[in-house]
Amino acid sequence: MPEISLVAGTIGPFQPQQAVEVPLWLALQLRKEGKCVIMAPEWLSVDFLQTKEAEERQDPSNFSSLPYYFSEITFSLLRNAQQDVKDARKIRTLLANISDLRSCKIKSGLKSITEKVHYIKLNNITSLELYGIKKFTIKTLNSFKSISQATASAADDYNISQSQTQNSME
Protein backbone atom coordinates (compact mmCIF):
# COMPACT_ATOMS: atom_id res chain seq x y z
CA MET A 1 0.00 0.00 0.00
CA PRO A 2 1.48 3.39 -0.93
CA GLU A 3 1.88 6.43 1.26
CA ILE A 4 -1.23 8.31 2.39
CA SER A 5 -1.10 12.10 2.28
CA LEU A 6 -2.98 13.85 5.07
CA VAL A 7 -3.21 17.47 6.18
CA ALA A 8 -0.88 16.70 9.10
CA GLY A 9 1.67 14.94 6.89
CA THR A 10 2.34 11.75 4.99
CA ILE A 11 1.92 8.30 6.51
CA GLY A 12 3.51 5.17 5.13
CA PRO A 13 4.57 3.54 2.95
CA PHE A 14 2.82 0.42 4.18
CA GLN A 15 4.58 -2.92 3.80
CA PRO A 16 3.15 -6.33 4.76
CA GLN A 17 4.18 -7.49 8.25
CA GLN A 18 5.85 -4.16 9.04
CA ALA A 19 4.57 -1.93 11.85
CA VAL A 20 3.69 1.67 11.01
CA GLU A 21 2.54 4.26 13.55
CA VAL A 22 -0.71 5.90 12.44
CA PRO A 23 -3.46 7.95 14.12
CA LEU A 24 -6.02 5.87 16.00
CA TRP A 25 -8.86 6.79 13.63
CA LEU A 26 -6.85 5.53 10.65
CA ALA A 27 -5.81 2.32 12.42
CA LEU A 28 -9.45 1.59 13.26
CA GLN A 29 -10.55 2.25 9.68
CA LEU A 30 -7.81 0.04 8.23
CA ARG A 31 -8.72 -2.66 10.76
CA LYS A 32 -12.39 -2.42 9.77
CA GLU A 33 -11.36 -2.92 6.14
CA GLY A 34 -9.25 -5.95 7.13
CA LYS A 35 -6.04 -4.27 5.99
CA CYS A 36 -4.14 -4.35 9.28
CA VAL A 37 -3.79 -5.70 12.76
CA ILE A 38 -3.63 -3.12 15.54
CA MET A 39 -0.84 -3.29 18.07
CA ALA A 40 -2.28 -2.16 21.39
CA PRO A 41 -0.27 0.45 23.29
CA GLU A 42 1.99 -0.98 25.97
CA TRP A 43 -0.22 0.57 28.66
CA LEU A 44 -3.09 -1.63 27.49
CA SER A 45 -1.56 -4.80 28.90
CA VAL A 46 -2.37 -6.97 31.90
CA ASP A 47 0.98 -6.24 33.61
CA PHE A 48 0.66 -2.47 33.25
CA LEU A 49 -2.96 -2.42 34.41
CA GLN A 50 -2.25 -4.67 37.39
CA THR A 51 0.48 -2.25 38.44
CA LYS A 52 -1.88 0.71 38.08
CA GLU A 53 -4.60 -1.07 40.04
CA ALA A 54 -2.12 -1.72 42.87
CA GLU A 55 -1.05 1.96 42.81
CA GLU A 56 -4.68 3.09 43.03
CA ARG A 57 -5.27 0.81 46.03
CA GLN A 58 -2.06 1.85 47.83
CA ASP A 59 -2.60 5.61 47.64
CA PRO A 60 -6.23 6.59 48.36
CA SER A 61 -5.57 10.31 47.98
CA ASN A 62 -3.74 10.42 44.64
CA PHE A 63 -4.44 9.17 41.14
CA SER A 64 -1.90 6.99 39.38
CA SER A 65 -0.58 8.34 36.10
CA LEU A 66 -2.56 7.27 33.04
CA PRO A 67 -2.69 8.67 29.50
CA TYR A 68 -5.07 11.64 29.32
CA TYR A 69 -7.36 9.93 26.76
CA PHE A 70 -6.98 6.54 28.44
CA SER A 71 -10.70 5.72 28.63
CA GLU A 72 -11.55 6.82 25.10
CA ILE A 73 -8.67 4.89 23.52
CA THR A 74 -9.28 1.70 25.49
CA PHE A 75 -13.00 1.83 24.71
CA SER A 76 -12.32 2.29 20.99
CA LEU A 77 -9.77 -0.51 20.83
CA LEU A 78 -11.79 -2.99 22.87
CA ARG A 79 -14.93 -2.21 20.91
CA ASN A 80 -13.47 -2.17 17.41
CA ALA A 81 -10.35 -4.33 17.60
CA GLN A 82 -10.85 -6.64 20.57
CA GLN A 83 -9.27 -9.55 18.69
CA ASP A 84 -6.02 -7.54 18.47
CA VAL A 85 -5.87 -6.91 22.24
CA LYS A 86 -4.17 -9.75 24.11
CA ASP A 87 -6.14 -10.94 27.18
CA ALA A 88 -9.04 -8.61 26.41
CA ARG A 89 -11.35 -10.21 29.01
CA LYS A 90 -8.79 -9.82 31.82
CA ILE A 91 -8.06 -6.27 30.65
CA ARG A 92 -11.76 -5.39 30.83
CA THR A 93 -11.88 -6.63 34.43
CA LEU A 94 -8.78 -4.62 35.38
CA LEU A 95 -10.18 -1.52 33.67
CA ALA A 96 -13.44 -1.85 35.62
CA ASN A 97 -11.50 -2.21 38.90
CA ILE A 98 -9.33 0.83 38.16
CA SER A 99 -12.37 2.85 37.13
CA ASP A 100 -14.21 1.95 40.36
CA LEU A 101 -11.21 2.85 42.52
CA ARG A 102 -10.75 6.20 40.75
CA SER A 103 -14.49 6.97 40.94
CA CYS A 104 -14.40 6.42 44.71
CA LYS A 105 -11.44 8.81 44.99
CA ILE A 106 -13.28 11.43 42.94
CA LYS A 107 -16.45 11.12 45.04
CA SER A 108 -14.45 11.29 48.25
CA GLY A 109 -12.63 14.39 47.03
CA LEU A 110 -15.85 16.11 45.97
CA LYS A 111 -17.41 15.42 49.38
CA SER A 112 -14.52 17.20 51.06
CA ILE A 113 -15.09 20.49 49.19
CA THR A 114 -15.95 23.34 51.53
CA GLU A 115 -16.66 27.01 50.91
CA LYS A 116 -13.04 27.87 51.72
CA VAL A 117 -11.76 25.97 48.65
CA HIS A 118 -10.10 28.24 46.11
CA TYR A 119 -8.88 25.50 43.78
CA ILE A 120 -9.08 21.77 43.29
CA LYS A 121 -5.97 19.71 42.57
CA LEU A 122 -6.66 17.05 39.94
CA ASN A 123 -3.26 15.60 39.07
CA ASN A 124 -3.35 12.60 36.73
CA ILE A 125 -7.09 12.75 36.10
CA THR A 126 -8.18 11.53 32.67
CA SER A 127 -10.28 13.35 30.11
CA LEU A 128 -13.42 11.29 30.73
CA GLU A 129 -13.12 11.66 34.51
CA LEU A 130 -12.71 15.40 34.17
CA TYR A 131 -15.75 15.60 31.91
CA GLY A 132 -17.78 13.63 34.46
CA ILE A 133 -17.18 16.10 37.28
CA LYS A 134 -16.93 19.34 35.30
CA LYS A 135 -20.53 20.56 35.65
CA PHE A 136 -20.80 19.63 39.32
CA THR A 137 -17.48 21.24 40.21
CA ILE A 138 -18.17 24.49 38.38
CA LYS A 139 -21.67 24.74 39.87
CA THR A 140 -20.35 24.06 43.38
CA LEU A 141 -17.51 26.57 43.14
CA ASN A 142 -19.87 29.22 41.73
CA SER A 143 -22.26 28.60 44.63
CA PHE A 144 -19.42 29.04 47.11
CA LYS A 145 -18.39 32.24 45.34
CA SER A 146 -21.96 33.59 45.57
CA ILE A 147 -22.17 32.71 49.25
CA SER A 148 -18.81 34.34 49.89
CA GLN A 149 -19.84 37.52 48.04
CA ALA A 150 -23.19 37.65 49.86
CA THR A 151 -21.44 37.19 53.21
CA ALA A 152 -18.94 39.94 52.39
CA SER A 153 -21.75 42.26 51.26
CA ALA A 154 -23.75 41.58 54.43
CA ALA A 155 -20.66 42.25 56.55
CA ASP A 156 -20.09 45.54 54.71
CA ASP A 157 -23.75 46.53 55.22
CA TYR A 158 -23.46 45.68 58.91
CA ASN A 159 -20.26 47.74 59.28
CA ILE A 160 -21.86 50.72 57.49
CA SER A 161 -24.94 50.42 59.71
CA GLN A 162 -22.79 50.29 62.86
CA SER A 163 -20.80 53.28 61.67
CA GLN A 164 -23.97 55.32 60.99
CA THR A 165 -25.41 54.39 64.38
CA GLN A 166 -22.26 55.56 66.14
CA ASN A 167 -22.23 58.82 64.10
CA SER A 168 -25.85 59.58 64.96
CA MET A 169 -25.18 59.03 68.67
CA GLU A 170 -22.40 61.56 68.68
Side-chain angles (χ1 to χ4, degrees):
M1 191 169 170
E3 293 180 342
I4 298 175
S5 294
L6 302 171
V7 173
T10 303
I11 299 174
F14 299 93
Q15 302 294 325
Q17 303 300 316
Q18 189 168 355
V20 177
E21 192 169 319
V22 299
L24 180 60
W25 64 267
L26 180 58
L28 293 173
Q29 183 59 39
L30 292 172
R31 180 69 178 111
K32 184 177 177 181
E33 295 173 5
K35 294 182 179 179
C36 76
V37 173
I38 295 178
M39 294 174 54
E42 58 189 57
W43 49 261
L44 192 56
S45 67
V46 171
D47 290 339
F48 180 88
L49 295 174
Q50 284 175 332
T51 300
K52 292 301 174 180
E53 181 183 16
E55 288 175 13
E56 294 293 345
R57 288 185 192 285
Q58 288 171 357
D59 190 352
S61 60
N62 290 310
F63 295 98
S64 64
S65 175
L66 293 172
Y68 186 67
Y69 293 107
F70 176 78
S71 300
E72 296 87 343
I73 293 170
T74 56
F75 175 79
S76 293
L77 289 175
L78 290 172
R79 183 170 187 225
N80 299 299
Q82 180 175 329
Q83 61 275 34
D84 295 341
V85 178
K86 186 179 176 191
D87 299 319
R89 182 173 286 163
K90 177 74 173 164
I91 285 174
R92 284 184 192 277
T93 302
L94 289 166
L95 290 170
N97 293 347
I98 292 168
S99 178
D100 289 346
L101 290 165
R102 291 172 72 94
S103 290
C104 287
K105 288 180 184 184
I106 289 170
K107 288 175 187 171
S108 173
L110 291 176
K111 286 179 183 176
S112 69
I113 294 176
T114 66
E115 66 183 70
K116 300 203 187 278
V117 171
H118 297 286
Y119 69 94
I120 299 173
K121 184 178 174 183
L122 298 171
N123 290 356
N124 297 322
I125 196 164
T126 66
S127 167
L128 194 62
E129 292 165 337
L130 185 59
Y131 178 78
I133 64 169
K134 182 180 171 183
K135 267 187 185 177
F136 172 80
T137 306
I138 290 171
K139 193 174 185 180
T140 301
L141 292 175
N142 284 336
S143 295
F144 288 150
K145 182 179 177 184
S146 296
I147 292 168
S148 177
Q149 288 172 341
T151 304
S153 177
D156 289 345
D157 290 346
Y158 176 76
N159 290 337
I160 291 171
S161 172
Q162 290 289 50
S163 168
Q164 289 173 348
T165 304
Q166 286 178 352
N167 288 343
S168 67
M169 294 177 119
E170 294 173 354

